[in-house]
Amino acid sequence: MLTRAEGDDEYETYWIGSFDLDGELVPPEDPNFSVPVQPVNLEPGDFWPSVYDGAKYSFGPGVDRIWWDNPQTHKRHPVQDTLSNELTRTLSRYKPQGGSFRVTPWNDVLTLVNLDKLPSQTRSEFDTLPRVVKNLIALRRDRGGVQKLPIYVGQVDTTPFSIEDPPSLTDPFQHKSDGVDSWLDSLGETSETEADNHTVGGSDTESDQVNDHDDAIPEDDPIDW
Protein backbone atom coordinates (compact mmCIF):
# COMPACT_ATOMS: atom_id res chain seq x y z
CA MET A 1 0.00 0.00 0.00
CA LEU A 2 1.26 3.45 -0.96
CA THR A 3 0.07 6.94 -0.13
CA ARG A 4 1.10 10.44 -1.07
CA ALA A 5 1.50 13.36 1.31
CA GLU A 6 2.19 17.00 0.54
CA GLY A 7 5.76 18.05 1.30
CA ASP A 8 7.52 21.40 1.05
CA ASP A 9 7.28 21.80 -2.70
CA GLU A 10 5.51 18.70 -3.99
CA TYR A 11 3.85 15.45 -2.98
CA GLU A 12 6.00 12.64 -1.62
CA THR A 13 5.18 8.93 -1.98
CA TYR A 14 5.31 6.71 1.11
CA TRP A 15 5.07 2.95 1.62
CA ILE A 16 2.71 2.16 4.49
CA GLY A 17 2.42 -1.62 4.38
CA SER A 18 1.06 -4.53 2.37
CA PHE A 19 -1.84 -6.94 2.36
CA ASP A 20 -3.05 -9.87 0.27
CA LEU A 21 -5.51 -8.94 -2.44
CA ASP A 22 -7.54 -11.70 -4.02
CA GLY A 23 -11.10 -12.61 -4.91
CA GLU A 24 -13.23 -10.29 -7.01
CA LEU A 25 -13.91 -6.61 -7.48
CA VAL A 26 -17.62 -6.26 -6.75
CA PRO A 27 -19.53 -3.14 -7.86
CA PRO A 28 -21.82 -2.29 -4.91
CA GLU A 29 -24.66 -1.23 -7.21
CA ASP A 30 -24.76 -4.61 -8.94
CA PRO A 31 -22.64 -7.55 -7.61
CA ASN A 32 -23.51 -9.61 -10.70
CA PHE A 33 -20.92 -7.63 -12.68
CA SER A 34 -17.94 -8.52 -10.47
CA VAL A 35 -14.56 -9.19 -12.07
CA PRO A 36 -11.57 -11.20 -10.74
CA VAL A 37 -8.65 -9.16 -9.47
CA GLN A 38 -6.25 -11.82 -10.77
CA PRO A 39 -7.52 -13.42 -13.99
CA VAL A 40 -6.15 -16.87 -14.80
CA ASN A 41 -5.81 -19.16 -17.82
CA LEU A 42 -4.71 -16.35 -20.14
CA GLU A 43 -2.41 -16.66 -23.14
CA PRO A 44 -0.05 -13.93 -24.40
CA GLY A 45 -2.07 -11.54 -26.54
CA ASP A 46 -5.38 -12.14 -24.73
CA PHE A 47 -7.33 -9.15 -23.52
CA TRP A 48 -6.83 -8.39 -19.84
CA PRO A 49 -10.35 -8.81 -18.33
CA SER A 50 -9.76 -6.87 -15.12
CA VAL A 51 -8.42 -3.60 -13.73
CA TYR A 52 -5.34 -2.40 -15.61
CA ASP A 53 -2.75 -1.26 -13.10
CA GLY A 54 0.66 -2.05 -11.66
CA ALA A 55 4.27 -0.84 -11.58
CA LYS A 56 5.05 0.93 -14.85
CA TYR A 57 8.26 0.40 -16.83
CA SER A 58 9.39 1.57 -20.25
CA PHE A 59 11.48 -0.17 -22.90
CA GLY A 60 13.24 0.65 -26.14
CA PRO A 61 13.00 -1.04 -29.55
CA GLY A 62 13.69 -4.76 -29.31
CA VAL A 63 13.39 -4.55 -25.51
CA ASP A 64 17.17 -4.12 -25.46
CA ARG A 65 16.88 -1.79 -22.48
CA ILE A 66 14.28 -1.28 -19.77
CA TRP A 67 13.98 1.59 -17.33
CA TRP A 68 11.78 3.05 -14.61
CA ASP A 69 10.85 6.74 -14.75
CA ASN A 70 10.96 8.33 -11.31
CA PRO A 71 7.79 10.49 -11.21
CA GLN A 72 9.38 12.90 -8.70
CA THR A 73 12.79 13.48 -10.26
CA HIS A 74 11.77 12.58 -13.85
CA LYS A 75 15.03 10.65 -14.19
CA ARG A 76 15.35 7.25 -15.83
CA HIS A 77 16.63 4.39 -13.67
CA PRO A 78 17.95 1.45 -15.75
CA VAL A 79 16.46 -1.93 -14.85
CA GLN A 80 19.12 -4.57 -14.21
CA ASP A 81 16.82 -7.56 -14.67
CA THR A 82 16.13 -9.05 -18.11
CA LEU A 83 12.83 -10.40 -19.38
CA SER A 84 12.33 -13.93 -20.64
CA ASN A 85 12.54 -14.59 -24.37
CA GLU A 86 8.78 -15.14 -24.52
CA LEU A 87 8.02 -11.78 -22.89
CA THR A 88 10.53 -10.05 -25.13
CA ARG A 89 9.02 -11.59 -28.27
CA THR A 90 5.48 -10.61 -27.30
CA LEU A 91 6.38 -7.02 -26.43
CA SER A 92 8.43 -6.67 -29.63
CA ARG A 93 5.56 -8.06 -31.66
CA TYR A 94 2.98 -5.57 -30.43
CA LYS A 95 5.33 -2.63 -29.82
CA PRO A 96 8.35 -2.83 -32.15
CA GLN A 97 9.22 0.82 -31.51
CA GLY A 98 9.17 0.40 -27.74
CA GLY A 99 6.71 1.68 -25.19
CA SER A 100 5.52 0.80 -21.71
CA PHE A 101 4.33 -2.20 -19.76
CA ARG A 102 3.05 -2.80 -16.25
CA VAL A 103 3.69 -5.54 -13.71
CA THR A 104 0.78 -6.36 -11.39
CA PRO A 105 1.20 -7.41 -7.72
CA TRP A 106 0.93 -11.02 -8.96
CA ASN A 107 3.78 -10.59 -11.50
CA ASP A 108 1.46 -10.51 -14.52
CA VAL A 109 2.86 -8.33 -17.34
CA LEU A 110 0.35 -6.13 -19.16
CA THR A 111 0.59 -3.57 -21.94
CA LEU A 112 -1.72 -1.28 -23.91
CA VAL A 113 -2.09 -1.96 -27.63
CA ASN A 114 -3.86 -0.12 -30.44
CA LEU A 115 -6.92 -2.01 -31.57
CA ASP A 116 -5.82 -1.87 -35.21
CA LYS A 117 -2.60 -3.71 -34.28
CA LEU A 118 -4.50 -6.80 -33.12
CA PRO A 119 -5.67 -9.69 -35.32
CA SER A 120 -9.31 -9.58 -36.38
CA GLN A 121 -10.17 -12.65 -34.29
CA THR A 122 -8.68 -10.98 -31.22
CA ARG A 123 -10.58 -7.76 -31.80
CA SER A 124 -13.83 -9.72 -31.77
CA GLU A 125 -13.00 -10.86 -28.22
CA PHE A 126 -13.60 -7.30 -27.03
CA ASP A 127 -17.32 -8.01 -27.06
CA THR A 128 -16.86 -10.73 -24.46
CA LEU A 129 -15.07 -8.50 -21.93
CA PRO A 130 -16.94 -7.86 -18.66
CA ARG A 131 -19.08 -4.73 -18.68
CA VAL A 132 -17.04 -3.20 -15.85
CA VAL A 133 -13.80 -3.61 -17.81
CA LYS A 134 -15.33 -2.04 -20.91
CA ASN A 135 -16.40 0.98 -18.85
CA LEU A 136 -12.90 1.31 -17.36
CA ILE A 137 -11.46 1.30 -20.87
CA ALA A 138 -14.00 3.96 -21.85
CA LEU A 139 -12.96 6.10 -18.87
CA ARG A 140 -9.32 5.94 -19.92
CA ARG A 141 -10.35 6.96 -23.42
CA ASP A 142 -12.63 9.82 -22.36
CA ARG A 143 -10.57 11.26 -19.50
CA GLY A 144 -7.05 10.56 -20.68
CA GLY A 145 -7.36 10.15 -24.41
CA VAL A 146 -5.97 6.60 -24.22
CA GLN A 147 -7.16 4.87 -27.39
CA LYS A 148 -5.74 1.47 -26.48
CA LEU A 149 -6.75 -1.87 -25.00
CA PRO A 150 -4.96 -3.84 -22.27
CA ILE A 151 -3.55 -7.24 -23.20
CA TYR A 152 -1.81 -9.94 -21.22
CA VAL A 153 1.87 -10.43 -22.10
CA GLY A 154 2.97 -13.11 -19.62
CA GLN A 155 4.56 -13.38 -16.20
CA VAL A 156 7.88 -12.46 -14.66
CA ASP A 157 9.52 -14.80 -12.17
CA THR A 158 10.69 -12.34 -9.55
CA THR A 159 9.76 -8.85 -8.42
CA PRO A 160 10.53 -6.16 -7.58
CA PHE A 161 12.99 -5.41 -10.37
CA SER A 162 16.47 -4.24 -9.45
CA ILE A 163 17.13 -0.72 -10.71
CA GLU A 164 20.32 1.32 -10.93
CA ASP A 165 20.94 4.98 -10.27
CA PRO A 166 20.22 7.17 -13.29
CA PRO A 167 23.28 7.95 -15.42
CA SER A 168 24.98 11.29 -14.82
CA LEU A 169 27.33 13.37 -16.93
CA THR A 170 29.75 13.37 -14.00
CA ASP A 171 30.00 9.55 -13.89
CA PRO A 172 33.42 7.99 -14.67
CA PHE A 173 33.94 7.27 -18.36
CA GLN A 174 33.20 3.57 -18.80
CA HIS A 175 34.57 2.93 -22.30
CA LYS A 176 38.24 3.87 -22.01
CA SER A 177 39.44 0.64 -23.61
CA ASP A 178 36.79 0.59 -26.30
CA GLY A 179 37.61 3.93 -27.86
CA VAL A 180 35.36 6.70 -29.09
CA ASP A 181 33.38 4.52 -31.51
CA SER A 182 31.97 2.35 -28.72
CA TRP A 183 31.24 5.44 -26.67
CA LEU A 184 29.29 7.00 -29.53
CA ASP A 185 27.33 3.76 -30.03
CA SER A 186 26.33 3.79 -26.37
CA LEU A 187 24.61 7.15 -26.83
CA GLY A 188 22.02 5.68 -29.19
CA GLU A 189 20.91 6.87 -32.60
CA THR A 190 21.29 10.51 -33.56
CA SER A 191 20.38 12.61 -36.55
CA GLU A 192 22.01 15.54 -38.27
CA THR A 193 20.94 19.03 -37.25
CA GLU A 194 21.15 22.34 -39.05
CA ALA A 195 23.69 24.91 -37.91
CA ASP A 196 20.92 27.45 -37.42
CA ASN A 197 19.45 25.25 -34.67
CA HIS A 198 22.56 25.66 -32.51
CA THR A 199 21.48 28.94 -30.95
CA VAL A 200 20.72 30.22 -27.49
CA GLY A 201 17.51 31.91 -26.43
CA GLY A 202 14.08 32.01 -27.99
CA SER A 203 10.99 30.02 -27.12
CA ASP A 204 11.97 27.09 -29.35
CA THR A 205 15.25 26.41 -27.55
CA GLU A 206 14.30 26.79 -23.90
CA SER A 207 13.02 23.26 -23.33
CA ASP A 208 15.56 20.47 -22.83
CA GLN A 209 15.38 17.55 -25.22
CA VAL A 210 16.97 14.12 -24.82
CA ASN A 211 17.78 12.91 -28.33
CA ASP A 212 15.83 11.80 -31.36
CA HIS A 213 16.32 8.14 -30.46
CA ASP A 214 14.61 8.51 -27.07
CA ASP A 215 11.94 10.90 -28.31
CA ALA A 216 10.79 8.28 -30.82
CA ILE A 217 9.78 5.87 -28.03
CA PRO A 218 5.99 6.21 -27.60
CA GLU A 219 4.55 7.53 -24.35
CA ASP A 220 1.73 5.02 -24.68
CA ASP A 221 0.56 4.66 -21.08
CA PRO A 222 0.05 7.96 -19.23
CA ILE A 223 -0.12 7.62 -15.47
CA ASP A 224 -2.40 10.61 -14.88
CA TRP A 225 -5.60 10.08 -16.83
Side-chain angles (χ1 to χ4, degrees):
M1 296 180 59
L2 305 176
T3 190
R4 302 185 74 189
E6 189 173 3
D8 295 334
D9 299 320
E10 59 183 9
Y11 280 89
E12 300 285 345
T13 303
Y14 297 93
W15 179 81
I16 58 175
S18 62
F19 68 94
D20 293 331
L21 181 64
D22 55 16
E24 295 182 328
L25 299 171
V26 183
E29 62 273 14
D30 196 336
N32 292 325
F33 291 105
S34 61
V35 296
V37 295
Q38 184 186 11
V40 296
N41 299 324
L42 296 177
E43 296 293 332
D46 288 348
F47 283 125
W48 179 252
S50 185
V51 173
Y52 177 83
D53 207 351
K56 179 186 174 184
Y57 300 92
S58 301
F59 62 97
V63 203
D64 58 342
R65 56 197 177 98
I66 305 172
W67 66 91
W68 171 69
D69 280 305
N70 188 319
Q72 294 179 336
T73 64
H74 305 291
K75 292 185 177 180
R76 293 179 174 180
H77 294 252
V79 173
Q80 295 176 310
D81 307 78
T82 58
L83 300 181
S84 67
N85 292 334
E86 182 179 11
L87 289 173
T88 299
R89 284 194 299 269
T90 303
L91 288 173
S92 298
R93 173 187 175 190
Y94 290 107
K95 295 185 174 179
Q97 300 303 316
S100 303
F101 66 87
R102 299 209 180 205
V103 181
T104 73
W106 310 277
N107 290 1
D108 291 312
V109 179
L110 317 174
T111 192
L112 291 174
V113 176
N114 287 324
L115 186 59
D116 59 2
K117 300 296 184 182
L118 299 174
S120 57
Q121 64 269 20
T122 307
R123 280 183 279 166
S124 64
E125 295 175 5
F126 178 78
D127 294 333
T128 66
L129 289 177
R131 181 180 299 181
V132 173
V133 177
K134 289 182 180 178
N135 285 327
L136 288 173
I137 293 173
L139 282 174
R140 290 180 66 89
R141 178 197 62 199
D142 298 338
R143 296 185 182 180
V146 182
Q147 305 285 347
K148 299 175 184 291
L149 296 175
I151 66 167
Y152 174 76
V153 178
Q155 274 209 332
V156 292
D157 295 329
T158 305
T159 55
F161 288 154
S162 299
I163 61 172
E164 300 175 344
D165 290 332
S168 171
L169 291 178
T170 59
D171 289 342
F173 190 63
Q174 298 180 356
H175 299 274
K176 293 180 180 179
S177 62
D178 297 334
V180 69
D181 291 337
S182 296
W183 173 68
L184 289 173
D185 290 340
S186 71
L187 298 180
E189 297 178 1
T190 57
S191 60
E192 294 182 359
T193 58
E194 298 294 335
D196 293 342
N197 292 335
H198 294 276
T199 58
V200 178
S203 58
D204 294 337
T205 60
E206 292 178 352
S207 60
D208 293 334
Q209 298 293 328
V210 185
N211 58 46
D212 293 339
H213 179 63
D214 286 334
D215 290 342
I217 297 174
E219 177 55 34
D220 56 358
D221 183 9
I223 294 178
D224 298 325
W225 59 272

